[in-house]
Amino acid sequence: MVGAVLLSSALAGCGGGDDSSSGSGSDDKIVLGFSQVGAESGWRTANTKSIQDSAKAAGIELKFADAQGKQENQITAIRSFITQKVDVIAFSPVVTSGWDAVLKEAKDAGIPVILTDRSVDSQDTSLYVSFLGSDFVEEGKKAGQWLVDQYKGKTGTVNIVELQGTTGAAPAIDRQKGFADTIASDPNLKVVKSQTGDFTRAQGKTVMETFLQSTPKIDVLYAHNDDMGLGAIEAIEAAGKKPGTDIKIITVDAVKDGMTALSEGKINYIVECSPLLGPQLMDIVKQVKSGGTPEKRILTKETTFTQEQAKTELPNRQY
Ligand code: AHR
């Protein structure tokens, strides 16, 4: 019930209007239903803005629903888009599993689905037309490789604590895997604690506090996003330690706040994950609507940043 209320108010607030009839509308505008994860991080806020701005620029009518981090809200939103007969559905799945039934409903209704940012684990890949987003395993590998390079030729155990993203979410699963596989090449690098911080600053702080209380020697923090890393920095400073010096910090995303902390020496390395998916998504929507077949997997271009690189990049950072 609450989910339904949230959905309807979100739709009304974002161009929902009178949408009881065909999604194509009277002016033949393409209608896109988009179900967003929520607003858990700076990355997510930038991603929402990119999608809303790009839809406007492309002349696409966007029906936007914020799932507030809940899969059941996303399923409700997708079903609502199907009922409204939108032209295309796109969504960023909160978690990877549990989508087959609703995706089949969309397919049976003849509405193409585009995955953005995060993937699903459905075996039947005909349930979606394309997946646009990052390679999260690769991001984890880049984070791990930086650490391997830092400790090359050194002796002694390096205690690593890990702040994972939302349990069951593709970026949490893949960033953990890519990192673990890469640091396995150096037996001195040990993950001594690993817990979810749900991709939020508040949880990053709380979980880091417990890590600091229970683990006497922490050398490195690997946080699956900037926000958790920034929350952890508060906990580290409150414990009288110097982030970036006493504890090396690696994060993922490269949003402005993260890049600022990197340039100030509080974070040591950031692996970029771009939230600016809107323009490419609108191109795919148009392609699908005009009967084209988009690439099944469209990868986002990304880089990495050291402290020095962050100082140069910061003035140009869009998000
Ligand atoms: O799916 C992308 C991830 O989700 C971002 O790295 C994180 O900040 C967000 O919450």
Side-chain angles (χ1 to χ4, degrees):
M1 180 61 190
V2 174
V5 171
L6 284 173
L7 171 67
S8 60
S9 60
L11 292 178
C14 296
D18 176 14
D19 40 33
S20 54
S21 61
S22 165
S24 301
S26 51
D27 55 1
D28 271 348
K29 252 190 174 183
I30 299 175
V31 180
L32 169 66
F34 186 87
S35 169
Q36 180 60 289
V37 169
E40 73 281 5
S41 62
W43 189 100
R44 190 64 54 195
T45 305
N47 180 247
T48 292
K49 186 174 183 314
S50 171
I51 286 160
Q52 290 175 335
D53 290 354
S54 311
K56 205 170 177 193
I60 290 173
E61 184 182 332
L62 178 68
K63 293 179 183 292
F64 183 90
D66 178 339
Q68 308 210 328
K70 292 193 171 67
Q71 181 175 32
E72 61 264 34
N73 289 348
Q74 288 202 298
I75 292 173
T76 303
I78 293 169
R79 291 211 165 108
S80 163
F81 295 147
I82 295 170
T83 308
Q84 293 171 65
K85 299 186 171 70
V86 300
D87 296 302
V88 181
I89 292 171
F91 79 116
S92 175
V94 177
V95 290
T96 54
S97 58
W99 298 103
D100 287 26
V102 74
L103 290 180
K104 185 150 188 322
E105 288 167 36
K107 191 180 174 190
D108 291 347
I111 303 175
V113 173
I114 302 164
L115 304 177
T116 76
D117 163 36
R118 298 180 180 180
S119 60
V120 296
D121 65 5
S122 301
Q123 295 303 305
D124 180 359
T125 57
S126 76
L127 294 176
Y128 56 91
V129 293
S130 185
F131 167 32
L132 163 69
S134 310
D135 182 337
F136 297 133
V137 175
E138 192 54 35
E139 290 172 354
K141 283 185 185 170
K142 287 178 187 168
Q145 192 55 52
W146 181 81
L147 200 59
V148 168
D149 293 344
Q150 292 301 303
Y151 286 96
K152 199 166 271 167
K154 296 192 179 151
T155 52
T157 302
V158 178
N159 284 348
I160 304 161
V161 295
E162 179 179 30
L163 280 168
Q164 291 203 20
T166 304
T167 305
I173 297 167
D174 293 352
R175 287 174 188 164
Q176 189 273 332
K177 185 183 174 348
F179 183 77
D181 288 354
T182 306
I183 64 164
S185 66
D186 182 346
N188 287 332
L189 302 178
K190 289 199 180 4
V191 177
V192 291
K193 289 270 157 65
S194 184
Q195 201 178 310
T196 180
D198 212 10
F199 280 130
T200 70
R201 213 175 275 216
Q203 280 297 304
K205 184 177 179 195
T206 305
V207 177
M208 190 67 201
E209 281 166 358
T210 65
F211 285 166
L212 286 160
Q213 281 156 14
S214 62
T215 317
K217 177 182 174 282
I218 298 175
D219 302 300
V220 175
L221 162 68
Y222 168 44
H224 289 192
N225 78 344
D226 287 347
D227 280 81
M228 291 190 295
L230 292 163
I233 286 172
E234 290 176 33
I236 293 167
E237 286 176 335
K241 292 184 190 289
K242 218 174 158 199
T245 305
D246 296 331
I247 298 177
K248 287 190 172 45
I249 302 178
I250 311 163
T251 64
V252 184
D253 278 355
V255 296
K256 241 182 213 162
D257 286 356
M259 292 289 272
T260 303
L262 182 62
S263 70
E264 289 169 348
K266 294 184 177 189
I267 293 178
N268 302 77
Y269 192 64
I270 299 184
V271 178
E272 186 183 40
C273 176
S274 175
L276 305 180
L277 304 178
Q280 270 175 299
L281 174 61
M282 299 313 146
D283 287 348
I284 304 169
V285 168
K286 284 183 180 169
Q287 194 184 351
V288 167
K289 186 65 177 71
S290 60
T293 310
E295 295 285 324
K296 196 77 186 184
R297 178 73 170 104
I298 301 171
L299 273 174
T300 317
K301 286 200 185 74
E302 290 157 347
T303 185
T304 56
F305 295 101
T306 61
Q307 293 173 338
E308 280 314 304
Q309 288 165 333
K311 285 179 197 156
T312 314
E313 170 65 13
L314 205 47
N316 315 318
R317 210 67 189 151
Q318 287 180 53
Y319 52 89

